[in-house]
Amino acid sequence: MESFMMDGKFLDNDIEKIVDADRAHVWHHLTQHKPFETGEPRIILEGKDMRVWDQKGKEYVDAVSGGVWTVNVGYGRERIANAVRDQLVKLPYFAGSAGSIPGALFSEKLISKMPGLTRVYYTNSGSEANEKAFKMVRQIAHKRYGGKKHKILYRDRDYHGTTIATLSAGGQDERSAQYGPYVPGFVRVPHCLEYRAQWDLSGEEYGIAAANAIEEVILAEGPDTVGALCLEPITAGGGVIVPPEGYWPRVQEICEKYDILLHIDEVVCGVGRTGTWFGYQHYGVKPDFVTMAKGVASGYAAIACCVTSERVFELFKDDASDPLNYFRDISTFGGCTAGPAAALENMAIIEEENLLDNCNAMGAYMLDQLHALKDKHAVIGDVRGKGLFLGAELVADRSSKEPVDEKQAQAVVGDCGAQGVIIGVTNRSIPGFNNTLCYSPALIATKDDIDQIIEATDKALTKVFG
């Protein structure tokens, strides 16, 4: 690791000042700060490829792409940074009521990967992208259905963001705890995790039953009141849940039957994570909205998108008879040009380096290695995932499927960290079921990288569970 620099003058022995400033003033995400009264917060100074270094010089293999499945093409990509720099000098920002060169070019490139969709609405975070779709659904309800067809269905264990509205559509009760009251008009449907089966079925029969459960909710609420169904293609923070065969085709049928808009949240799965450009493309479905963020620019600049079909877009194109009929929304930093400039280079890297192919090959290899760990460690009850988006659910007993205590799962993560490997875990999200180890290494991962991740997990499981 090179010395950390600031204005060309920053020295290693100044790190203590940075730690003191961080501890005194920074409010970290998802963090209890009480331990920092006696200990140091972790500060990541530098990254290269799949490795990062902290303030103590410790090197880590990052198996979660920036902590929250974001840095899809790895660290140190100078061509992305240079593209951002050049664009910022030329034009850093103009409000999204006007266009920009990178905004136009990236929208064209993105849509070329999404047959059937035509329009890109720029915003600055996944939460906000989902809010835009929710607002579109509500406005359509008022424009076409007298406000009645406004309800939005969401799935147990899915997660759609941190705002009050997206928490209202969140299926992770510990994420939303203490932030109510919530926005009315959001209705939960059952999850589709076959390992935690809600019906005595398996395979495609289970997938169809899980989809039919959505129809039951629609009928109970009244189809004329339901405007949209919002789902992750593969549930992420709720335990890396790959829907069973039969699930998605049946979901599509149900949405078409009741004229319900299908909103797929690709904030985690999008832009290569599962081995296709978007997770929904594994299943042949035709969404009306697709939202995305994290991997769109691999974290090199803030960008998120709410992508829609022309059908949705046309609903907001009216003559001037009603001055309120257009989509009256703005995202201030959706007008930043760094995001689409970075996203163009990010997508070019994925194409030029054949990272979708690598994702599929290395994902299959890693899945095999996780299954080998399952054969060795009885505490692993289930292994699942697609591409380089994988999970291993930990159980105290395989026959009863009793989850391990959350502290034990956290201990595995902690031990991996001590070994120099950063992995993830479902974290204070689902009461009693924060027991799934999560892996999302960058799409550049090699067998050596994966072997190091698996070896660390193996040693940690042995240490924590014997």
Side-chain angles (χ1 to χ4, degrees), residues 49 53 55-57 138 144 147 164 225 238 244 287 331 345 348 354 377 414 435:
D49 299 329
W53 290 264
Q55 75 266 32
K56 297 179 181 179
R138 292 287 173 89
R144 295 195 63 191
I164 296 299
T225 71
S331 172
E345 291 299 316
N354 298 312
H377 296 278
N435 63 317

Side-chain angles (χ1 to χ4, degrees), residues 21-40:
D22 183 280
R23 184 162 41 201
H25 303 296
V26 176
W27 195 334
H28 289 271
H29 301 181
L30 297 172
T31 299
Q32 172 54 254
H33 285 63
K34 187 70 175 176
F36 297 159
E37 293 179 359
T38 54
E40 289 188 2

Side-chain angles (χ1 to χ4, degrees), residues 36-48:
F36 297 159
E37 293 179 359
T38 54
E40 289 188 2
R42 181 169 68 182
I43 299 176
I44 301 299
L45 304 186
E46 190 173 341
K48 182 64 177 174

Side-chain angles (χ1 to χ4, degrees), residues 9 27 48 63-64 110 129 135 138 163 165 190 220 253 299 349 363 387 409 421 423:
K9 301 176 182 179
W27 195 334
K48 182 64 177 174
V64 283
L110 180 61
K135 287 179 69 176
R138 292 287 173 89
T163 65
E253 289 178 1
I349 288 169
V421 174
I423 69 170

Side-chain angles (χ1 to χ4, degrees), residues 154-195:
Y154 66 94
R155 185 170 57 195
D156 185 26
R157 286 183 171 251
D158 279 10
Y159 176 74
H160 302 295
T162 64
T163 65
I164 296 299
T166 53
L167 286 176
S168 301
Q172 299 178 9
D173 292 342
E174 289 183 344
R175 290 273 190 185
S176 56
Q178 301 177 349
Y179 298 117
Y182 303 107
V183 180
F186 292 92
V187 182
R188 186 176 300 197
V189 301
H191 67 72
C192 62
L193 175 54
E194 186 177 348
Y195 185 70

Side-chain angles (χ1 to χ4, degrees), residues 418-431:
Q419 297 178 60
V421 174
I422 302 172
I423 69 170
V425 66
T426 45
N427 180 29
R428 299 182 182 92
S429 300
I430 306 161

Side-chain angles (χ1 to χ4, degrees), residues 392-413:
E393 182 165 349
L394 305 183
V395 293
D397 178 80
R398 280 189 179 175
S399 60
S400 69
K401 300 183 182 179
E402 177 189 352
V404 300
D405 186 89
E406 182 172 346
K407 292 181 180 178
Q408 292 176 299
Q410 292 283 354
V412 174
V413 175

Side-chain angles (χ1 to χ4, degrees), residues 99-110:
S100 70
I101 291 174
L105 293 179
F106 179 64
S107 67
E108 181 179 52
K109 185 69 173 179
L110 180 61

